[in-house]
Amino acid sequence: MEVVAVRRGAVRSVVVAGLLVLGVSGVSGTEAGAAARGGPEADVAYHGRVSLSQGRLRVWVVPQNEGPAALPNATLRVRLSADLADRQELAQGCARAGLREVVCETGALPLHGRGRHIGLLLDLKEPVPEVVVRIDTWWNGGASDRDLSNNQHAVLALDTGDSYAF
């Protein structure tokens, strides 16, 4: 995975807690084995942009599914190279998952369709000159995904207020 910087002008708490108790992280054994067993397969992709200004990071993501199967829901993960401030006001369907991590449900991902648009305004613990934002799939709704290149992104955002697309 390469860091890209293209310059351009609660998951509900109960769900997150349940997934953490089950030890779900990244692609689970169930998901990895789904294709081998003839289970569902979906190609989840994320597109969006990030910007950093004075210790505040804006992240906007549009999840989509290229199929071949629809997904009732998935969970994307946003990881940062800098610590988040202790208090965050997160978008509905999103929850904090660590010092530098937030997870958000995508909503239903229809075949060749988009999930809900996810907008985050994250406060960093301390202002930094740059932050690397990594976006990937935390849980894929039990489906396998053979093409991870379109749902694993790393974006370097400089503290300029400029928007960086992925």
Side-chain angles (χ1 to χ4, degrees):
M1 175 182 354
E2 65 183 70
V3 174
V4 288
V6 179
R7 186 170 181 199
R8 296 186 80 187
V11 175
R12 292 170 186 77
S13 297
V14 173
V15 174
V16 171
L19 291 173
L20 292 173
V21 168
L22 292 173
V24 175
S25 66
V27 176
S28 70
T30 304
E31 292 168 1
R37 293 189 313 273
E41 182 178 341
D43 184 12
V44 175
Y46 303 117
H47 304 286
R49 61 184 180 266
V50 300
S51 66
L52 176 64
S53 180
Q54 299 175 354
R56 298 193 94 187
L57 180 72
R58 295 184 191 308
V59 180
W60 183 72
V61 181
V62 179
Q64 63 186 62
N65 176 14
E66 294 303 322
L71 291 176
N73 202 355
T75 307
L76 75 88
R77 172 173 57 180
V78 177
R79 293 178 292 158
L80 309 177
S81 63
D83 289 348
L84 290 164
D86 293 335
R87 299 183 57 94
Q88 299 288 327
E89 285 191 42
L90 298 174
Q92 182 178 359
C94 296
R96 189 156 177 179
L99 293 174
R100 298 177 171 192
E101 203 168 321
V102 173
V103 293
C104 297
E105 65 181 351
T106 63
L109 291 171
L111 178 61
H112 301 295
R114 294 180 174 168
R116 69 183 189 91
H117 294 201
I118 299 164
L120 297 169
L121 180 57
L122 303 172
D123 291 318
L124 301 180
K125 190 168 211 109
E126 299 175 3
V128 294
E130 65 185 34
V131 64
V132 176
V133 181
R134 297 183 189 284
I135 296 167
D136 62 8
T137 300
W138 194 56
W139 178 69
N140 206 20
S144 64
D145 187 340
R146 295 177 197 219
D147 180 9
L148 301 178
S149 66
N150 56 6
N151 66 348
Q152 294 182 344
H153 303 283
V155 182
L156 175 64
L158 303 178
D159 185 12
T160 60
D162 293 327
S163 185
Y164 298 90
F166 59 92

